[in-house]
Amino acid sequence: MQFSSALLESAVNEFSRLPGIGKKTALRLVLHLLKQEESQVIQFSETIARMRSEIRFCKRCCNVADGELCTICSNNYRQQQVICVVENIRDVIAIESTQQFNGTYHVLGGVISPLDGVGPDQLNIDALVERIDQEQTEELIFALSPNIQGDTTIYYVQKKLSGKNVRITTIARGIAFGGELEYADELTLGRSLQNRLPVEKYMNR
């Protein structure tokens, strides 16, 4: 691409760093911003900058938050004794979109994947165990993508929780093995939550 403006080229390069955004899409976005009122573009940039500098992570579940606790953990109408364990924040958004779950979450920040150099110590597993020890948790639901990494993580955490008085379940296999949770349609994901299985039955299938 040839640019008549260094500023335009710089903006396109920055947008193209975003996942799934190529140079052509980046150029289209930048040209769109050029057509907007200057005040709108300033507000856009300030919102992004404020998000990056002020956003926090919930001290209880590791979800994104504006304060110490996220809006889900601080909601007294949620089932605080039920925890849904997910890989990342996108999975929280996906499950919330189903409107089929009224408990709380725990974001691991990934899954165990030795080939990618991700071990248990790099995930929020110890925080989950401490949370279960401190709170009167009744059920732990694993909502991890049904693949080798997800199953390995379930197995590891289950062993860590051995002997604790908590019911451990996992979402049903409405989602095909090897699929990604965040890409499942809302109906399938909702039914998988409703028809969850005891984790022992899942791991011994």
Side-chain angles (χ1 to χ4, degrees):
M1 283 187 182
Q2 297 295 322
F3 297 93
S4 59
S5 165
L7 292 174
L8 180 67
E9 182 178 7
S10 177
V12 169
N13 288 337
E14 291 302 317
F15 270 93
S16 65
R17 293 185 184 184
L18 297 173
I21 303 295
K23 283 292 181 69
K24 289 184 178 180
T25 301
L27 177 60
R28 186 164 64 249
L29 293 172
V30 171
L31 292 178
H32 171 76
L33 290 176
L34 280 176
K35 295 178 182 178
Q36 306 306 304
E37 294 290 337
E38 184 177 352
S39 59
Q40 290 180 295
V41 179
I42 291 174
Q43 182 180 357
F44 172 78
S45 62
E46 288 178 347
T47 299
I48 298 299
R50 185 181 176 192
M51 179 274 296
R52 184 62 187 87
S53 63
E54 297 183 16
I55 204 165
R56 304 169 68 176
F57 293 93
C58 179
K59 68 177 184 179
R60 184 186 185 209
C61 75
C62 306
N63 190 17
V64 290
D66 293 332
E68 287 192 348
L69 292 177
C70 68
T71 56
I72 295 174
C73 283
S74 59
N75 187 344
N76 293 327
Y77 293 100
R78 309 279 302 212
Q79 293 177 289
Q80 299 293 332
Q81 292 76 35
V82 178
I83 302 174
C84 183
V85 180
V86 296
E87 178 181 346
N88 54 50
I89 294 161
R90 294 190 301 272
D91 293 338
V92 174
I93 296 171
I95 293 174
E96 283 296 285
S97 296
T98 70
Q99 299 183 350
Q100 298 294 321
F101 181 67
N102 193 41
T104 63
Y105 295 90
H106 192 87
V107 181
L108 292 179
V111 287
I112 297 172
S113 180
L115 292 178
D116 297 319
V118 180
D121 294 342
Q122 295 169 266
L123 306 177
N124 299 319
I125 294 176
D126 288 341
L128 174 63
V129 176
E130 291 176 10
R131 181 177 169 186
I132 291 172
D133 286 337
Q134 295 172 1
E135 303 177 13
Q136 296 179 331
T137 304
E138 297 174 358
E139 182 178 7
L140 192 71
I141 306 168
F142 283 106
L144 302 180
S145 296
N147 51 36
I148 296 299
Q149 294 82 4
D151 286 0
T152 300
T153 305
I154 291 174
Y155 180 79
Y156 179 86
V157 177
Q158 180 195 16
K159 290 299 183 183
K160 290 274 287 187
L161 298 175
S162 178
K164 297 187 184 298
N165 186 27
V166 57
R167 181 185 178 212
I168 304 176
T169 60
T170 185
I171 57 175
R173 273 293 175 83
I175 302 170
F177 187 80
E180 295 293 333
L181 196 73
E182 65 178 289
Y183 299 121
D185 65 272
E186 294 176 7
L187 181 60
T188 299
L189 185 53
R191 286 178 176 172
S192 294
L193 277 166
Q194 290 180 330
N195 300 321
R196 54 188 179 270
L197 307 167
V199 76
E200 294 87 356
K201 182 177 179 180
Y202 172 82
M203 297 304 295
N204 294 324
R205 65 193 184 282

